[in-house]
Amino acid sequence: MTPVWWMVGLSGFSWLVAAALLDTQGRIEVLYGMLGPLAMVIGSWILMERAYRRNPQRLTAVMVAAFAGKLVFFGAYVAVMLRVLSLGPRTFVASFTSYFIALYLIEALYLRRLLAGSPRATL
């Protein structure tokens, strides 16, 4: 299974487990806490994997540009979720932080595999 599908599958499964334990508002807060990090990790993985396959020397430049974009996106995303959608800060921030750390750890492990030359670390 590809890295993107692993990240989507694990995130979806963990949300289903959390949804079984929470009320409706909690489900929504956990879902939105998951969606931002998941979208960005998928996007950054696709960009990094394609850049590496085309020209490995460009990978660092792509990663720096993606980092700058993530800074802007995550700042705006959290502000919109807390201010505009008025999600509960405890559940949303706990979910957001957990998914952020877990998904970027998965991405780092796949990046290590990609740089080591494993054919299984592709889209």
Side-chain angles (χ1 to χ4, degrees), residues 14-30:
S14 66
W15 179 79
L16 288 173
V17 170
L21 303 172
L22 297 169
D23 62 355
T24 302
Q25 184 63 27
R27 288 182 197 124
I28 292 169
E29 291 163 354
V30 171

Side-chain angles (χ1 to χ4, degrees), residues 38-105:
L38 181 60
M40 291 309 290
V41 81
I42 288 171
S44 66
W45 174 257
I46 291 170
L47 287 173
M48 288 187 307
E49 197 273 336
R50 286 184 181 168
Y52 182 78
R53 296 286 179 215
R54 289 183 181 145
N55 183 0
Q57 289 76 25
R58 284 193 19 94
L59 181 60
T60 301
V62 169
M63 291 175 71
V64 169
F67 180 74
K70 290 175 198 178
L71 284 174
V72 173
F73 172 80
F74 282 128
Y77 183 78
V78 170
V80 167
M81 294 299 119
L82 295 177
R83 301 281 184 198
V84 177
L85 295 183
S86 301
L87 297 179
R90 286 189 183 142
T91 307
F92 171 75
V93 170
S95 170
F96 179 86
T97 303
S98 300
Y99 280 106
F100 185 94
I101 292 168
L103 288 167
Y104 279 99
L105 174 62

